[in-house]
Amino acid sequence: MSQGTAAHGSAAAHVHQAPTGFWKKYIFSVDHKVIGIQYWFLALAAVFVGMGLSLYMRLRLAWPSGEFPFFGGAQMTPEMYLALVTMHGTIMVFFVLTTAPQGGFGNYFLPIQIGAADMAFPVLNMLSFWVTFVAFVVMVAAFFVEGGAPIGSWVAYPPLSAIPSAGPGQGMGMNMWIISIAIFCLGALLGALNFIATTLDMRARGMSLMRMPMTCWVWFVTAVLGLLAFGVLLAAGILLLLDRTAGTSFFVPGGLVISEQLIDHKGGSPILWQHLFWFFGHPEVYIAILPGMGATSQILAVFSRKPVYGYRAMVMAMCGIGLLGFLVWGHHMFISGMSPYTSMVFSVLTLSIGVPSAIKTFNWIGTMWGGQIRFHAPMLYAIGFVSLFISGGLSGIFLGQPSLDLYLHDTYFVVAHFHLVMGVAAIFGMFAGTQYWFPKMFGKMMNETISKIHFWITFLGVYAIFMPMHYMGIVGHPRRYAETSGVDFLAPLQPMHVFISYAAMIVIGAQLLFLFNIIWSLAKGTKASDNPWEATTLEWSVPSPPPFDNFGGRVPVVYRGPYEYSRPGEAKDFVMQDEPMK
């Protein structure tokens, strides 16, 4: 894409006028900033639903005979526990980890950071959000249909997910789950097209690809991943729904007997679903984590007052991670009976992802090394992201070995690994992004003291939750079981369940502090200046919050790279991207 073409895209101001009515301004807005905030609040609502479900799971595990609210004074059944596991995983993966970093921050800041007035397709952008919102409503509604929510976990393996009579929640609840995911995929595909077109066609004059902030690169790579991955999941979901409702047999084998009844299907393969699901599922890990990597790279540079160390290597590493992410789905299926030779191929490819991951990690450390570090709240969360990414990534080395994965696969070791590297690290990326961009989005500063208290409780708390799970997995504690009190060799681990549950309650309580900080800061926070962090990228060259057309009628021109900090001979220790060369 030539700069001339890009400049044309940017110079073309809004194709739509500023809205005037309430509905068009705040509800069905085509303004990318409003849509970004809508995605952000949707993810915020989803994360509290997901955390609430995890709290009940932890209560059940720590006190198996306990009676809890919302269960009619009775004990939680194992089936209800499995339903909570399913819905917690699904809501967190799709409606939090996928929604906030890309749909929220990406929508709000991609156009501003590349000097555009809006996304390439504003109406499509609005539709993307509302389609995602409908998907969330349908997903939550699965709790309230006959039989309740499904019990097949977020991976929905057939034949359990393909046979309505396979268990409670596998009837209408499972149908709702599939329909919700299909709707979500449509929204994700619309969003991915918009991000790719915006990045390629809407850049301001002078904003070459190698002058884009790291965040723009990760949103672009994530959109490419989403375009290729969600299409596969959508197709697989439609086939699964046909198996359930139209009598097809894509995933259901012949001769299957459930509750002493022969199931009238033949010729299908449950393994086919695993291949299709994990062809989506592993890139989904990077769809969740890459935006956090981008925000972390950005924030480490800003608060270290140094350029991103090895910018080009970081870009190449991100593209490499994205490419390799599509070649390693088989490592999720080592126990499916695949050939040992195939396992070795997937194992080598999986371990090769460690190379670009290590490049990024070393570059983050290199960015901070020798810098004049400012320990504001966004910086703490960014450092926390690096710590959690390393901790979670190291345990992935063990799971990438087929011989070790055979033992560890169905244990808490896997729960600990993917929660640290995909869940908690990604959420710390969201915390960092929220702390960093909140002043620009809302024109108010978040309370620094509350933010730091929240950081330390959460940071220490998540290690208290997930590090013991590694040990439990090594000992052989199986996952997905509501209760293991009848297994003698697991009895000594029960106090560990209690400890983890107390830690989880403290961490969940700390998130109420985060919520309070948002509400308090919106109402009474200190007014933010245009550039409170003294950063260099284009979003900090406009008022806080930005005007409707982002640049107030001005067409920005970019003269510099995104991270010009501490340059010798300059009056300040930062130079904005749109500041002309002397």
Side-chain angles (χ1 to χ4, degrees), residues 36-60:
I37 291 174
Q38 288 174 326
Y39 268 114
W40 188 80
F41 274 112
L42 174 62
L44 188 65
V47 78
F48 274 92
V49 173
M51 279 195 306
L53 300 179
S54 67
L55 176 60
Y56 271 105
M57 290 156 55
R58 289 309 320 171
L59 290 174
R60 179 67 169 83

Side-chain angles (χ1 to χ4, degrees), residues 8 43 106 126 169 222 231 245 253 321 328 458 494 529 560:
H8 174 76
M126 176 192 69
T222 301
T245 60
I321 289 173
V328 300
T458 307
Q494 188 58 27
S529 63
R560 299 169 182 271

Side-chain angles (χ1 to χ4, degrees), residues 13-301:
H14 263 242
V15 295
H16 52 83
Q17 300 299 314
T20 54
F22 174 81
W23 288 96
K24 287 190 175 181
K25 193 172 182 179
Y26 298 108
I27 306 301
F28 298 110
S29 174
V30 293
D31 184 346
H32 69 98
K33 298 184 291 296
V34 175
I35 295 168
I37 291 174
Q38 288 174 326
Y39 268 114
W40 188 80
F41 274 112
L42 174 62
L44 188 65
V47 78
F48 274 92
V49 173
M51 279 195 306
L53 300 179
S54 67
L55 176 60
Y56 271 105
M57 290 156 55
R58 289 309 320 171
L59 290 174
R60 179 67 169 83
L61 289 167
W63 297 281
S65 59
E67 297 174 355
F68 313 111
F70 302 110
F71 291 95
Q75 294 180 13
M76 185 192 303
T77 63
E79 291 81 6
M80 175 56 72
Y81 175 83
L82 290 175
L84 298 184
V85 170
T86 301
M87 298 299 278
H88 166 76
T90 305
I91 289 173
M92 295 300 285
V93 169
F94 289 94
F95 298 100
V96 179
L97 301 178
T98 308
T99 297
Q102 185 79 358
F105 296 128
N107 255 306
Y108 198 107
F109 288 104
L110 174 64
I112 309 179
Q113 287 195 336
I114 63 172
D118 206 325
M119 298 290 277
F121 309 113
V123 175
L124 208 62
N125 205 21
M126 176 192 69
L127 289 174
S128 301
F129 168 74
W130 283 107
V131 166
T132 306
F133 177 80
V134 169
F136 180 64
V137 172
V138 173
M139 182 61 69
V140 174
F143 275 112
F144 304 101
V145 297
E146 183 179 359
I151 60 174
S153 92
W154 80 284
V155 298
Y157 281 172
L160 178 62
S161 62
I163 308 298
S165 61
Q170 295 308 98
M172 182 54 70
M174 191 68 223
N175 286 342
M176 300 281 280
W177 187 94
I178 298 171
I179 292 169
S180 169
I181 294 303
I183 297 172
F184 183 91
C185 288
L186 285 175
L189 290 171
L190 295 177
L193 288 170
N194 220 349
F195 273 78
I196 294 170
T198 301
T199 306
L200 296 179
D201 284 348
M202 303 287 285
R203 284 175 286 120
R205 186 156 64 91
M207 180 62 82
S208 63
L209 289 174
M210 285 300 162
R211 282 181 174 172
M212 290 199 308
M214 294 300 299
T215 42
C216 297
W217 270 108
V218 297
W219 291 322
F220 175 69
V221 173
T222 301
V224 174
L225 295 181
L227 187 66
L228 298 174
F230 282 110
V232 174
L233 182 62
L234 175 60
I238 292 171
L239 297 182
L240 182 59
L241 196 61
L242 289 174
D243 271 9
R244 294 174 55 81
T245 60
T248 59
S249 296
F250 293 104
F251 306 121
V252 185
L256 184 66
V257 177
I258 296 179
S259 300
E260 300 181 354
Q261 288 190 340
L262 180 64
I263 302 301
D264 186 20
H265 281 274
K266 58 183 178 181
S269 169
I271 300 298
L272 173 61
W273 168 268
Q274 292 192 32
H275 280 291
L276 294 174
F277 182 86
W278 287 115
F279 186 81
F280 146 80
H282 197 79
E284 166 62 24
V285 173
Y286 301 111
I287 290 171
I289 195 75
L290 278 176
M293 292 181 176
T296 295
S297 302
Q298 180 92 4
I299 291 168
L300 292 180

